[in-house]
Structure formats: C-alpha cells, structure tokens
Amino acid sequence: MKVMAQMAMVMNLDKCIGCHTCSVTCKQAWTNRSGTEYIWFNNVETRPGLGYPRTYEDQEKWKGGWELDKRGRMKLKAGGRLKNLMTIFSNPVLPSIGEYYEPWTYDYSTLTDAPAQEQTPVARPKSLISGKNMKIEWSANWDDDLGGSMATAHRDPMLKKIADKVKFEFEQTFMFYLPRICEHCLNPSCAASCPSGAIYKREEDGIVLVDQEKCRGWRKCVSGCPYKKIYFNHRTGKAEKCTFCFPRIEVGLPTVCAETCVGRLRYIGLMLYDADKVLAAASTTDDEGLVEAQRDVFLDPFDPEVMREAERAGIARDWVDAAQRSPIYALINTFRVALPLHPEYRTMPMVWYIPPLSPVVDVVAETGEDAEDTGNLFAAIDALRIPVEYLAELFTAGDVGPVDAVLKKLAAMRCYMRDINMGRDPDASIPAAVEMTEEQMYDMYRLLAIAKYDERYVIPPAHAELAHSLEELSTECSVSDYGGGQQDVFGEGSGTPTPVAVENFQMLQARQTSDSLAGPVNKAGRVNLLNWDGKGSPPGMFPPTGSDS
Amino acid sequence: MSVFFFVIFPYVCLTTFVVGHLWRYRYDKFGWTTRSSQLYENRLLRIGSPLFHFGMLGVVGGHIIGLLVPESWTEAVGISEHGYHVVAVAGGLVAGLAALVGMVILIYRRRTVGPVFSATTVMDKVMYAFLAVVIVLGMWNTIAGSILTIGGEYNYREGVSVWYRSFLAFQPDASLMARAPLGFQLHALVAFGLFALWPFTRLVHVFSAPVGYLTRPYIVYRSRDDDQLGSHRDRRGWDRVS
Ligand code: HEM
Ligand code: SF4
Ligand code: SF4
Ligand code: SF4
C-alpha cells in the first residue's frame, strides 16, 4: 500500500444556477492576459449542449484519454509513444480555435470618437486573434440556457448515445448546468501525452501542473486530455491549465472558483488513496465498473492501518486528520452520492459531482403532483428515463443503476426533511428505503444544505511546521506591496512581481470567519481577486469616494 | 580572404551558436518553445509541417553522413564511390525536395493566413530568409553539381567534407573550401549565418527533441518546491525561520 493524498472537489449540481461567477472570477485571477483570451480554466456548460470546446466529449473524434488495447493494457487513445512522436509536427486531433471560439473585443473608440452624425455609431467586434473585424458565430457559452439548442443540441455527443430514444423537443426537455474545471486526475493522460515531461502531479496534494520552463509547446497535452482542460497560450506558446489555485490551497484557502461560488455548491477536501492500485483500477475491463473501481482506490482515513501507512509515507498528522473530516470522503464513500465525470476516459478524475435531481422534480411539479413525496419522486425517477440515462452517460459510463440510487437518496432526503421542517414526525421508512439510517440522512442533509464554510472546505495548510514561514512576514514584504510607501519607480507592474497572496493567512481567516461584510481597515492597499472572499468590495478596487473619510 | 570566410567567420558563428544556446537556456527557458501556430490554422500546416520536418530530418541525417564519414571508410567497407553517389543524390533529392516543398507551404501559410502572419516575429522572418537560401543553395548544389554537372563534377567528399572535419578538429584548412564551387561556398556561408541566428529564433526547439519520451514513465510526479511556498521567493539575505 502506498498512501498518497489528493486535493479533490465535489460539486452539487442541484444548486448550480448557471451564473458563471466561478468562471469570471477564475478568469480575473488566472487568465486575463493576452494569449489566454479564449481560455476558461473554469467553464459552466448548459446540458444538454455541445460543451466547450464544442463536442469535446466525442472521443472517437478527439481521441483524448486512455483506452484498453487488445490485451487489456492501458494505452493512450491517440496512440502509443512512437505514434505520439511521429505526429508531433502536426497534431491530427488538436481542436482549432474555432472549436473553442475566436475571442473578440469591440471597437469602442468609434463610439466616443465618432463625429456628430445622423446614424448611431456602432462598435464593431474585432478579433483578438487577427485584429480584423469579425462575425461572432460561436463562444464558450453559445448554447447557454439551451439558447439555439434546437439547432445544435442534436450534436451533443452524450445525447447522441441515447438519441434513438429521444427527439430533442422543447416540450420534453430538461436542463441543468455543469461547471467544469481540471479534474486533477489520478491517472492524468495530459501528463502521459507530454513529450517533454513538463506536466507533473504533485506528490503532496496531487495537483496537476504544467512546468512553464519545461514546456516546449508540442501541444500534445491539449489533445491528450479528454476533458480538454489544457489550453495552449497562443502568445507564449506554452500550455496552461487550472492550478487548483495552489497558492491559496497551500495556505489553507479554497480555490477562487469555490470561494466565489454563488450557490455554495463546491466542497474541497483531501482524499487518501492507494497509488499502487490506480493502474489496475483504471484498467478495469468494463466501463461500467470504473466508478466502483475508483471508489476502491480511496482509503478509509479512519482505518488504523491506513493511518499507520500514511505516517510511513510522510503524510503529516494534521493532513490525516483533515482527510478524516473531508467532505469529499463523506460524499463519495460514506453517503455515496457523488459520481465522477466520464469515468470511461480512465483518467481517474478527482472532481466529482452530485447529479441533479431538479430535472425530475421539475417534471413532477409541472404535473401538479406533490414534488416532495417519495412515492411520486421515486416513480418519476423510474419513469423519466431520458434525463436519468443522460446523467448516466455523463457520470457512470451509461450505467443507470448508480445514478438511480443517488437520485433516490436525494429524493428521500427531500421528503424526509420536509416532514421535519413541517413539524411532523420524521418517517424512518424513508431513509430505510434508500438503505440509510435516520442519523445518516440528517448528516447528509446538514452537509448538503447548511454546512458552514469550514465544513465545506477542509484544507490543511501545506505543512504544519512550515505554516509560520508561509505567512507573509512583515520583514519579507516591502511596504509598497501594500500600496503604501514609495510606488515602484516605473509605475504599475514594474519591479519585483506582486506576490500572489498579498495578505497573510491568519488575516484572511479572520476576515472570512468574521460577521462583518467590510474588510478589516488596518491593511489598506491592493488586493487582487486571488484572495478576495466575496465579502464587500476589496479595498483598493475602487477609488475612495471621499464620504467615508 | 578565404581565411576570413572559411576560418574566422565560421568560428565566430559556431561560438555564437554554442554560447547563445547556453545563454538562452539559462535566462529564457520560458521562451524556449516551438510557438506552435496550429491553433490558428490546421489545413496547410497538416501538409506543410510534416513534409518540411521529415524532409529536414533526412537532410540533417544526410549531412551528418556526408560530412563526417570520410570517403576512405565507406570504401573500406566496400561501397564504391559511384554506388555511394547514387544513393546520396537520390536520398538527398527526395529529402531536400520534401523540405523545400514543405517550407514553401509553411512560408505561404505564414504570409497569407491572417492570424499566423500577425503572430510572426521579425526573427521568424529573418530565420525563414536564411533557411530558404540555405535549402535552395543546397538543392542547387545537388542538382547542378551532381546531376547536370554544370562546371564539371565536384566530389564534395574530397573537398568540403574534409574542410568541415578539419574545422571541427580546430585545424582548419581554408584552401580546401577556396577550391570548391561557388554554390558550395555560399551554401556553407549562409548555413553558418543561420547557425549564428539559431539560438535567437524558435529553432531552439530542435534541441528539445523529446526522445526521452520513449522511455520515461507516463506519469511524472514531482515534489512541491518548498523553497517557494507561499507566493514569492525569499528575498536575498532573509532566511526562513521554521
Ligand atoms: C527533431 C525534432 C523536431 C521536432 C520534434 C520539431 C517539432 C516542431 C513543432 C511541434 C513545430 C510547431 C508546428 C506548429 O504547430 O506550428 C515546429 C515548427 C517549426 N520547426 Fe521544427 N521540429 C524538429 C526539428 C526541426 C528542424 C531540424 C528544423 C529546421 C532546421 C525545424 C524547423 C521548424 C520551423 C521553421 C518551424 C516553424 C513552422 C511554422 O510554423 O512556420 N524543426 N517544429
Ligand atoms: S482533467 Fe486535468 S489532470 Fe485530467 S487529463 Fe485533463 S488536464 Fe490532465
Ligand atoms: S481551481 Fe482555481 S484555477 Fe482552477 S478553475 Fe478554480 S479558480 Fe480556476
Ligand atoms: S458560481 Fe456556482 S452557482 Fe454560479 S455557475 Fe459557478 S458553480 Fe454554478
């Protein structure tokens, strides 16, 4: 047994309102540079829909991820090592910019510079790639909220798989949002596809990163990742990807996308797993067995043997402790309501999802029946094959059994809690119907519905013994880092780079756990969104109004 | 005169080549990339780039054999001068033609495809100019010298190659080059110019040719760099207290 720790995320899709706040804050923090205009480390897709980049899930076309060869061994779907090198001069399965979308801006100056004239001047869209006028025909969210889906949805690769049973018609449609970030896979095919070995998985927390100094721009990882979560910066010629906001994680803060999530639907925590079992689990012969195989790779952090082995592997005590309190472990292995996205890609993804019950609830509610009644909901889950099968294509390689089980648990929780909220006697037969105890059901409800900040995010700082030096000591940062003292001689951006997390950990923690909305007044200065917690407006973002002086 | 062109100038270029690469690797690892433009355009690249690269690899291989293996060695293993010649010319023609056609496609693409053109740097243009001249002169030497035998037959293995080996052994003999046809002289000179430019262009990617990929494990694990925990490196003079 080789115990390793992995930072992981679970998203509860029922709560996602598709507001794209996560995408925007991530972009502000990480990809607001030139060359990354089209890059969204976090994107939110409307499903059914084509996704971003378009039809990325069609692996017969894009050849991402792994597959088993005839002898049942793991092989990159795009081909073995030699083939990978032979196709390096021109990657046959690289999505073009059009599959993402051609980024653009508007020629705003015509609005302000136009002379007095009869017609209203218009700001024309200008391509950020070629600088020319362009016609906007696609974007990362072109089919948001099913807009235009009548024309495009039939190309959704997942819908195609069940298409003989559905005609995509508006009357019988269903919809939900799928926020996606890099999966920080246990068996990352991006890393395996990289000819330079520049993509690595961190031993300590499993975060998958691109070494910008070792990347040589062979752009093989872009096609190797089945989730298309590696992007090519077309200015620097290097690959970039979601970093799981490691500078924040290292000091115990959640990722930007999780922190700013309006639905508070993201959970972050540790998973302990047995690295020796990953390859065997990823090589499970039938696709439908992959979810269970991956669950078996995870280790029970309460098992004394696991704790002993973890210690032997050099995992600090407070990390094991955090693994025990991990909401991820609870959702994946204890309550078993979270499922991986596309396990059939065999990369062992580590961002899991609680599938949405809402498509089912909506249908029941529309019929005028009671949508909080177990009987009605269970019957609807059984009857509404199309949404359930669609979810199964996303989360269980097409096996409806586990999706059914999760949806029934969520339905049961809804009904069980209604009784409690209405002041009626709780009905023990409801949890029993989904093989849970009343206590478990209540715990699950707590975690899903009302868990506080420190229950949703259980993130141990990088090293307990190093925690002190992780703080930005006052001796280390010059006054100008905080906007005081002398400004850098050559203006904004000159001099040594501004640290990513300007403020220290304790201070941020104090602010996050405080009740007031305003930031503390004692540390004025520049705050970038990387450490903004969503409360109030960050000091320094807007010029002082004068009234509060 | 010939000492300048075939001794001093080549050594200056060689030095620039070596020192330039060391400098670039030391200070600009971040800029060390192919700067792939496939994201912008795929149709032309799909034909042009493999054609150019496979051709180029053949050309480079041919040069290694032609310049570094002395004629006496191949004769010793029983390969006749004529036999060698036929194979070399045929191979050189195929590889050279592939590289040339590929390059024409790539240059055409660079110029006509809007996004690719706007991502083209000055160094790219200079590099392509040198590359094109070198390749055209090389092809001319093969065709004119060996097939059409314009200006008499010239066996470069007894002239240019010997000079090249003497050059690498730091005992250069410029007179060997001075007697070579003009086409060969120019080809060598422009090629050395290209070598001098090499470290400052995207051509550095050649030295990152990822052969290690064939043997390394698929998944790379690396330990976190504890020197840079938090967000910035320690300032000089400050030690972390733990
Ligand atoms: C030996 C291994 C080599 C590998 C693996 C390699 C790989 C590559 C790759 C991946 C690109 C980017 C293509 C794109 O997507 O735009 C590229 C571009 C290029 N390579 Fe190479 N290369 C090699 C050798 C060479 C050699 C020997 C030369 C010439 C002397 C060369 C000259 C070029 C040029 C000029 C370009 C730019 C093409 C363009 O976009 O206009 N390469 N190479
Ligand atoms: S999801 Fe992330 S870790 Fe997994 S293969 Fe893609 S880029 Fe790599
Ligand atoms: S973890 Fe950080 S980098 Fe990754 S998607 Fe979320 S905000 Fe972006
Ligand atoms: S911020 Fe939260 S609720 Fe909004 S789209 Fe992102 S994941 Fe969904």
Side-chain angles (χ1 to χ4, degrees), chain A residues 181-185 187-191 199 208 224-230 241 347:
Chain A
I181 69 172
C182 161
E183 300 279 346
H184 297 275
C185 307
N187 186 32
S189 55
C190 58
I199 302 179
V208 177
C225 170
Y227 303 92
K228 292 294 171 279
K229 277 295 169 190
I230 295 224
K241 69 183 287 299
T347 61

Side-chain angles (χ1 to χ4, degrees), chain A residues 81 91 192 194 204 234 469, chain B residues 38 40 49 213 216 223 240:
Chain A
R81 294 170 193 263
N91 186 339
C194 171
E204 290 84 357
H234 60 93
S469 49
Chain B
Q38 194 179 351
Y40 302 140
S49 181
Y213 180 63
R216 75 143 217 263
S223 195
R240 285 191 188 262

Side-chain angles (χ1 to χ4, degrees), chain A residues 26 30 41-42 181 242-245 255-257:
Chain A
C26 171
W30 294 107
F41 290 163
N42 183 112
I181 69 172
C242 155
T243 62
F244 214 79
C245 292
T255 65
V256 168
C257 53

Side-chain angles (χ1 to χ4, degrees), chain B residues 108-214:
Chain B
Y108 172 77
R109 169 177 179 271
R110 284 250 151 226
R111 186 62 198 86
T112 55
V113 179
V116 183
F117 185 54
S118 53
T120 304
T121 63
V122 178
M123 277 321 268
D124 283 338
K125 292 176 192 165
V126 178
M127 171 202 76
Y128 265 125
F130 273 77
L131 207 54
V133 174
V134 177
I135 292 179
V136 169
L137 282 171
M139 287 297 282
W140 169 255
N141 289 339
T142 307
I143 296 171
S146 305
I147 302 175
L148 307 176
T149 57
I150 295 169
E153 200 147 348
Y154 174 72
N155 186 352
Y156 62 86
R157 302 187 75 202
E158 284 163 4
V160 177
S161 302
V162 182
W163 162 77
Y164 192 69
R165 287 196 296 275
S166 73
F167 171 77
L168 287 187
F170 295 108
Q171 287 161 342
D173 181 355
S175 64
L176 282 166
M177 257 331 252
R179 281 196 302 268
L182 184 66
F184 281 89
Q185 292 179 340
L186 287 177
H187 178 66
L189 281 176
V190 184
F192 270 103
L194 181 64
F195 290 151
L197 287 170
W198 203 283
F200 314 104
T201 64
R202 68 164 81 209
L203 290 178
V204 289
H205 75 269
V206 178
F207 292 93
S208 305
V211 279
Y213 180 63
L214 292 174

Side-chain angles (χ1 to χ4, degrees), chain A residues 35 37-38 97 101-105 125-135 234-235, chain B residues 39-41 110-120:
Chain A
E37 305 91 350
Y38 77 102
I97 188 82
Y101 70 99
E102 188 168 344
W104 71 87
T105 183
K126 295 260 184 212
S127 166
L128 284 171
I129 298 280
S130 65
K132 305 251 160 57
N133 287 330
M134 67 176 276
K135 188 162 174 257
H234 60 93
R235 285 285 155 212
Chain B
L39 201 61
Y40 302 140
E41 200 278 349
R110 284 250 151 226
R111 186 62 198 86
T112 55
V113 179
V116 183
F117 185 54
S118 53
T120 304

Side-chain angles (χ1 to χ4, degrees), chain A residues 219-393:
Chain A
R219 36 110 180 87
K220 280 290 187 177
C221 51
V222 178
S223 49
C225 170
Y227 303 92
K228 292 294 171 279
K229 277 295 169 190
I230 295 224
Y231 303 88
F232 195 77
N233 179 326
H234 60 93
R235 285 285 155 212
T236 62
K238 305 255 165 163
E240 294 192 23
K241 69 183 287 299
C242 155
T243 62
F244 214 79
C245 292
F246 71 87
R248 291 177 56 102
I249 293 286
E250 280 171 5
V251 293
L253 292 170
T255 65
V256 168
C257 53
E259 176 93 81
T260 57
C261 171
V262 172
R264 302 194 173 184
L265 56 92
R266 298 188 184 211
Y267 298 80
I268 296 175
L270 279 180
M271 284 301 258
L272 297 183
Y273 69 100
D274 186 352
D276 289 339
K277 278 164 64 179
V278 171
L279 194 62
S283 317
T284 306
T285 30
D286 62 325
D287 285 355
E288 298 187 353
L290 280 161
V291 182
E292 222 26 63
Q294 188 170 358
R295 278 214 178 100
D296 283 343
V297 171
F298 301 137
L299 295 169
D300 177 357
F302 297 97
D303 181 343
E305 155 122 27
V306 171
M307 289 164 71
R308 232 184 354 262
E309 287 293 327
E311 190 177 356
R312 254 228 310 250
I315 297 174
R317 180 60 235 186
D318 61 328
W319 277 53
V320 177
D321 191 55
Q324 292 175 343
R325 288 182 291 120
S326 166
I328 311 299
Y329 185 78
L331 293 170
I332 292 180
N333 272 26
T334 313
F335 303 130
R336 300 172 66 88
V337 286
L339 297 168
L341 180 63
H342 290 304
E344 72 275 20
Y345 299 162
R346 297 176 186 273
T347 61
M348 305 263 116
M350 286 307 293
V351 173
W352 287 40
Y353 293 87
I354 302 173
L357 183 65
S358 48
V360 175
V361 174
D362 290 348
V363 171
V364 177
E366 256 164 42
T367 60
E369 299 286 335
D370 180 359
E372 291 188 335
D373 174 85
T374 12
N376 286 346
L377 282 176
F378 280 19
I381 292 170
D382 288 332
L384 287 173
R385 294 330 287 169
I386 292 163
V388 176
E389 281 178 24
Y390 187 86
L391 291 173
E393 290 297 340

